[in-house]
């Protein structure tokens, strides 16, 4: 049985770590909202952070795999993406696109 668990963690280790860092990122976000007085710590919102964490973790993991980022860099990207959540990532994406549109092209 222990051998099976070790094999599972070895083959699925990256996903287990992605899940861990994704949940950690969302817990940090939730705690920040609690500090600001926008939420109570023990609430339904804490439970609802889990699907957000998993979704953001999967997306960030896929992005890291696409550009071959592994190890600590991958863990950091997953945690940051999960902390920001879908709305934070959307805001960063919009800012980046706006900056790209306002830059003069090099051909001019």
């Amino acid at each position: 049985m222990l051998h099976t668990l070790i094999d599972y963690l070895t083959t699925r280790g990256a996903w287990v770590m992605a899940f861990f860092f994704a949940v950690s990122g969302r817990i940090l976000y939730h705690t920040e909202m609690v500090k600001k007085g926008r939420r109570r710590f023990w609430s339904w919102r804490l439970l609802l952070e889990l699907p957000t964490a998993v979704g953001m973790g999967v997306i960030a993991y896929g992005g890291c795999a696409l550009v071959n980022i592994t190890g600590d860099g991958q863990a950091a990207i997953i945690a940051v993406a999960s902390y920001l959540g879908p709305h934070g990532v959307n805001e960063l994406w919009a800012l980046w696109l706006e900056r790209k549109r306002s830059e003069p092209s090099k051909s001019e």
Side-chain angles (χ1 to χ4, degrees):
M1 170 138 167
L2 183 60
H3 186 270
T4 305
L5 178 63
I6 292 170
D7 285 344
Y8 177 78
L9 290 177
T10 303
T11 58
R12 303 283 192 252
W15 283 104
V16 170
M17 293 309 293
F19 177 77
F20 171 76
F21 285 110
V23 170
S24 297
R26 287 316 289 176
I27 292 294
L28 288 170
Y29 175 79
H30 181 74
T31 303
E32 189 65 29
M33 292 294 104
V34 170
K35 285 181 186 177
K36 290 180 179 180
R38 296 183 185 171
R39 297 181 180 181
R40 289 179 294 130
F41 187 80
W42 297 109
S43 64
W44 284 108
R45 286 192 163 189
L46 180 60
L47 181 64
L48 293 174
E49 292 293 348
L50 187 61
T52 303
V54 171
M56 293 306 297
V58 168
I59 291 167
Y61 180 80
C64 289
L66 185 65
V67 294
N68 296 324
I69 298 173
T70 60
D72 292 341
Q74 182 184 49
I77 290 170
I78 291 168
V80 167
S82 296
Y83 175 82
L84 292 174
H87 299 295
V89 171
N90 186 41
E91 288 297 317
L92 285 176
W93 182 252
L95 285 171
W96 183 78
L97 286 175
E98 186 63 34
R99 184 174 290 163
K100 283 296 190 185
R101 287 184 191 132
S102 65
E103 287 179 0
S105 65
K106 294 182 180 182
S107 63
E108 292 178 5

